[in-house]
PDB file of all heavy atoms in Angstrom:
ATOM      1  N   HIS N 684      10.129  21.118 -28.896  1.00 98.00           N
ATOM      2  CA  HIS N 684      10.776  21.289 -30.193  1.00 98.00           C
ATOM      3  C   HIS N 684      11.642  20.120 -30.458  1.00 98.00           C
ATOM      4  O   HIS N 684      12.329  19.580 -29.547  1.00 98.00           O
ATOM      5  CB  HIS N 684      11.663  22.568 -30.280  1.00 98.00           C
ATOM      6  CG  HIS N 684      11.099  23.850 -29.914  1.00 98.00           C
ATOM      7  ND1 HIS N 684      10.752  24.334 -28.699  1.00 98.00           N
ATOM      8  CD2 HIS N 684      10.722  24.955 -30.753  1.00 98.00           C
ATOM      9  CE1 HIS N 684      10.160  25.499 -28.720  1.00 98.00           C
ATOM     10  NE2 HIS N 684      10.102  25.896 -29.986  1.00 98.00           N
ATOM     11  N   GLN N 685      11.761  19.670 -31.767  1.00 98.00           N
ATOM     12  CA  GLN N 685      12.678  18.639 -32.109  1.00 98.00           C
ATOM     13  C   GLN N 685      13.396  19.093 -33.497  1.00 98.00           C
ATOM     14  O   GLN N 685      12.735  19.696 -34.338  1.00 98.00           O
ATOM     15  CB  GLN N 685      11.874  17.344 -32.373  1.00 98.00           C
ATOM     16  CG  GLN N 685      11.392  16.744 -31.188  1.00 98.00           C
ATOM     17  CD  GLN N 685      10.538  15.406 -31.348  1.00 98.00           C
ATOM     18  OE1 GLN N 685      10.163  15.139 -32.377  1.00 98.00           O
ATOM     19  NE2 GLN N 685      10.464  14.655 -30.333  1.00 98.00           N
ATOM     20  N   TYR N 686      14.651  18.854 -33.517  1.00 98.00           N
ATOM     21  CA  TYR N 686      15.385  19.251 -34.638  1.00 98.00           C
ATOM     22  C   TYR N 686      16.713  18.400 -34.793  1.00 98.00           C
ATOM     23  O   TYR N 686      17.066  17.691 -33.853  1.00 98.00           O
ATOM     24  CB  TYR N 686      15.705  20.743 -34.621  1.00 98.00           C
ATOM     25  CG  TYR N 686      16.663  21.090 -33.487  1.00 98.00           C
ATOM     26  CD1 TYR N 686      18.166  21.045 -33.555  1.00 98.00           C
ATOM     27  CD2 TYR N 686      16.066  21.654 -32.285  1.00 98.00           C
ATOM     28  CE1 TYR N 686      18.864  21.443 -32.486  1.00 98.00           C
ATOM     29  CE2 TYR N 686      16.833  21.997 -31.335  1.00 98.00           C
ATOM     30  CZ  TYR N 686      18.306  21.843 -31.297  1.00 98.00           C
ATOM     31  OH  TYR N 686      19.103  22.238 -30.234  1.00 98.00           O
ATOM     32  N   LYS N 687      17.276  18.638 -35.871  1.00 98.00           N
ATOM     33  CA  LYS N 687      18.622  18.061 -36.094  1.00 98.00           C
ATOM     34  C   LYS N 687      19.586  19.103 -36.697  1.00 98.00           C
ATOM     35  O   LYS N 687      19.173  19.895 -37.413  1.00 98.00           O
ATOM     36  CB  LYS N 687      18.602  16.974 -37.143  1.00 98.00           C
ATOM     37  CG  LYS N 687      17.962  15.691 -36.684  1.00 98.00           C
ATOM     38  CD  LYS N 687      18.046  14.590 -37.762  1.00 98.00           C
ATOM     39  CE  LYS N 687      17.416  13.227 -37.146  1.00 98.00           C
ATOM     40  NZ  LYS N 687      17.277  12.088 -38.211  1.00 98.00           N
ATOM     41  N   LEU N 688      20.800  19.229 -36.038  1.00 98.00           N
ATOM     42  CA  LEU N 688      21.775  20.247 -36.506  1.00 98.00           C
ATOM     43  C   LEU N 688      23.059  19.486 -37.119  1.00 98.00           C
ATOM     44  O   LEU N 688      23.499  18.736 -36.556  1.00 98.00           O
ATOM     45  CB  LEU N 688      22.144  21.071 -35.298  1.00 98.00           C
ATOM     46  CG  LEU N 688      22.965  22.364 -35.593  1.00 98.00           C
ATOM     47  CD1 LEU N 688      22.198  23.342 -36.418  1.00 98.00           C
ATOM     48  CD2 LEU N 688      23.330  23.000 -34.247  1.00 98.00           C
ATOM     49  N   TRP N 689      23.230  19.975 -38.506  1.00 98.00           N
ATOM     50  CA  TRP N 689      24.250  19.256 -39.232  1.00 98.00           C
ATOM     51  C   TRP N 689      25.327  20.134 -39.475  1.00 98.00           C
ATOM     52  O   TRP N 689      25.153  21.412 -39.384  1.00 98.00           O
ATOM     53  CB  TRP N 689      23.722  18.792 -40.571  1.00 98.00           C
ATOM     54  CG  TRP N 689      22.476  17.931 -40.571  1.00 98.00           C
ATOM     55  CD1 TRP N 689      21.131  18.215 -40.335  1.00 98.00           C
ATOM     56  CD2 TRP N 689      22.564  16.372 -40.672  1.00 98.00           C
ATOM     57  NE1 TRP N 689      20.405  17.175 -40.381  1.00 98.00           N
ATOM     58  CE2 TRP N 689      21.037  16.019 -40.526  1.00 98.00           C
ATOM     59  CE3 TRP N 689      23.494  15.525 -40.808  1.00 98.00           C
ATOM     60  CZ2 TRP N 689      20.716  14.719 -40.595  1.00 98.00           C
ATOM     61  CZ3 TRP N 689      23.038  14.097 -40.949  1.00 98.00           C
ATOM     62  CH2 TRP N 689      21.723  13.803 -40.784  1.00 98.00           C
ATOM     63  N   HIS N 690      26.573  19.685 -39.893  1.00 98.00           N
ATOM     64  CA  HIS N 690      27.602  20.549 -40.144  1.00 98.00           C
ATOM     65  C   HIS N 690      28.389  19.926 -41.327  1.00 98.00           C
ATOM     66  O   HIS N 690      28.242  18.711 -41.596  1.00 98.00           O
ATOM     67  CB  HIS N 690      28.612  20.799 -39.113  1.00 98.00           C
ATOM     68  CG  HIS N 690      29.598  19.748 -38.752  1.00 98.00           C
ATOM     69  ND1 HIS N 690      30.750  19.682 -39.393  1.00 98.00           N
ATOM     70  CD2 HIS N 690      29.377  18.509 -38.075  1.00 98.00           C
ATOM     71  CE1 HIS N 690      31.505  18.591 -38.985  1.00 98.00           C
ATOM     72  NE2 HIS N 690      30.738  17.864 -38.215  1.00 98.00           N
ATOM     73  N   SER N 691      29.184  20.793 -42.138  1.00 98.00           N
ATOM     74  CA  SER N 691      29.778  20.318 -43.409  1.00 98.00           C
ATOM     75  C   SER N 691      30.955  21.200 -43.606  1.00 98.00           C
ATOM     76  O   SER N 691      30.948  22.425 -43.285  1.00 98.00           O
ATOM     77  CB  SER N 691      28.929  20.400 -44.620  1.00 98.00           C
ATOM     78  OG  SER N 691      29.558  20.097 -45.734  1.00 98.00           O
ATOM     79  N   LEU N 692      32.003  20.677 -44.111  1.00 97.00           N
ATOM     80  CA  LEU N 692      33.257  21.511 -44.576  1.00 97.00           C
ATOM     81  C   LEU N 692      33.037  22.009 -45.988  1.00 97.00           C
ATOM     82  O   LEU N 692      33.599  23.205 -46.224  1.00 97.00           O
ATOM     83  CB  LEU N 692      34.440  20.593 -44.556  1.00 97.00           C
ATOM     84  CG  LEU N 692      34.879  19.974 -43.226  1.00 97.00           C
ATOM     85  CD1 LEU N 692      36.012  18.980 -43.568  1.00 97.00           C
ATOM     86  CD2 LEU N 692      35.195  21.103 -42.330  1.00 97.00           C
TER      87      LEU N 692
END
Side-chain angles (χ1 to χ4, degrees):
H684 300 80
Q685 292 177 340
Y686 63 84
K687 293 181 180 179
L688 191 61
W689 305 82
H690 80 95
S691 172
L692 296 174

